[in-house]
């Protein structure tokens, strides 16, 4: 029997999760709730995507606010709170709305689990594959955060280096593609408390004409997963760049033990060879960001730019911040299902 899923929020990540879950017979998305009141526009945006292309098996609208393709029939709702939806046949909720929800409300919903596709310190657990997935317990964890795209890419690398060399301090710079809350042309910008977006005047500037500096919550998100990796250990900032998807993280670490380039190379090669999930991918080719579009590995080590000087290690990581991150949400869902069945 398939696991019945409600998808709350069909934005960039939500649609990527939807399309990947359609590939898995164990999961059945039966309801999509979205703020877009126009079902015609919603189904259009699922079928056609400027970044990832057309959906091969397109959805069509049928009677009573349902959409259907050859394998799935999904009810579309447009409500402002999940407790207004009939959840009697729903097993799990994926909340990809980006909206800060009331955790107590979520805990009261009659479902087995709620997965948040953003970091949340009040969740029962924040999970990143390659960092703390063994702590996931379906019995005691109902509200499960799948963290953020940046932290998902970064933390497995930090943990691996720390276990081998012990990180004393470090710094990261995330190079992140533009997002929908940015402006196409210059205009005003007002922060959104429901989405935890701070007021940032630079975000009122044209996202297509500028590289925009910004703060990043990447390290805070990492600390929700593994407490050691916090802002006292690693400093951070971000550059928002005018590309559609695929981010990079420039990482500088200072370690207690000295290293050689050969050691660090072997560290990541060995991890890739023995990993359970598609996390680390080692790249030695002369590639650019678009070459990693739709890549499901999310900690892509670019060995062309690996530098090791005594106690200093410099890394360049690539990751698809939409499709790649969504693939980890799906992997966590699958892993949750395996644990729940006792596999």
């Amino acid at each position: 029997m398939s696991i019945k899923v409600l998808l709350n929020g069909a934005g960039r990540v939500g649609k990527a999760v939807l399309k990947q879950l359609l590939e898995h017979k164990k999961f059945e998305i039966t309801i999509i709730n979205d703020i877009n009141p126009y079902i015609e526009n919603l189904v259009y945006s699922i079928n056609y995507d400027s970044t990832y292309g057309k959906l091969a098996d397109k959805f069509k609208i049928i009677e009573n606010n349902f959409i259907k393709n050859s394998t799935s029939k999904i009810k579309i709702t447009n409500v402002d709170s999940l407790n207004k939806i009939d959840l009697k046949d729903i097993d799990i909720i994926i909340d990809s709305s980006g909206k800060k929800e009331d955790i107590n409300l979520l805990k009261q919903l009659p479902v087995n689990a709620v997965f948040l596709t953003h970091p949340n310190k009040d969740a029962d657990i924040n999970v990143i594959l390659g960092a703390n997935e063994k702590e996931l317990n379906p019995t005691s964890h109902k509200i499960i955060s799948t963290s953020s795209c940046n932290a998902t890419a970064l933390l497995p690398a930090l943990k691996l280096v720390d276990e081998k060399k012990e990180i004393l301090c470090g710094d990261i710079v995330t190079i992140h593609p533009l997002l929908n809350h940015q402006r196409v042309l210059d205009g005003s910008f007002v922060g959104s408390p429901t989405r935890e977006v701070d007021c940032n005047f630079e975000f009122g500037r044209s996202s297509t004409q500028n590289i925009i500096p910004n703060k990043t919550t990447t390290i805070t998100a990492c600390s929700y997963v593994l407490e050691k990796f916090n802002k006292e250990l690693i400093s951070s900032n971000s550059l928002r760049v005018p590309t559609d998807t695929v981010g990079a993280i420039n990482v500088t670490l200072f370690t207690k033990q000295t290293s050689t380039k050969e050691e660090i190379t072997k560290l990541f090669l060995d991890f890739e060879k023995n990993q359970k999930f598609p996390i680390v991918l080692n790249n030695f080719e002369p590639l650019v960001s678009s070459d990693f579009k739709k890549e499901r590995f999310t900690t892509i080590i670019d060995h062309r730019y690996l530098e090791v000087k005594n106690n200093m290690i410099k890394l360049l990581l690539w990751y698809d911040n939409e499709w790649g991150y969504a693939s980890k949400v799906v992997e966590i869902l699958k892993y949750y299902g395996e644990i729940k069945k006792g596999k």
Side-chain angles (χ1 to χ4, degrees), residues 151-174:
T152 294
L154 176 65
L155 192 52
L158 293 183
K159 182 185 178 187
L160 198 56
V161 172
D162 186 64
E163 288 175 344
K164 191 75 173 178
K165 298 293 180 179
E166 190 178 344
I167 297 171
L168 297 177
C169 63
D171 179 77
I172 67 157
V173 180
T174 66

Side-chain angles (χ1 to χ4, degrees), residues 267-299:
L267 185 66
F268 286 107
L269 287 173
D270 288 347
F271 187 92
E272 179 184 353
K273 183 179 179 181
N274 299 306
Q275 63 191 341
K276 177 179 179 179
F277 305 100
I279 301 167
V280 168
L281 181 66
N282 291 286
N283 174 65
F284 296 88
E285 298 295 320
L287 304 181
V288 296
S289 61
S290 61
D291 295 316
F292 301 109
K293 189 177 290 188
K294 222 172 185 181
E295 178 59 70
R296 297 187 188 223
F297 288 85
T298 41
T299 306

Side-chain angles (χ1 to χ4, degrees), residues 27 61 83 85 122 145-146 162 171 178 228 286 311 337:
F27 297 94
I61 302 169
N83 62 6
I85 301 174
D122 297 321
S145 163
T146 57
D162 186 64
D171 179 77
L178 51 80
K228 173 178 180 176
N311 296 79

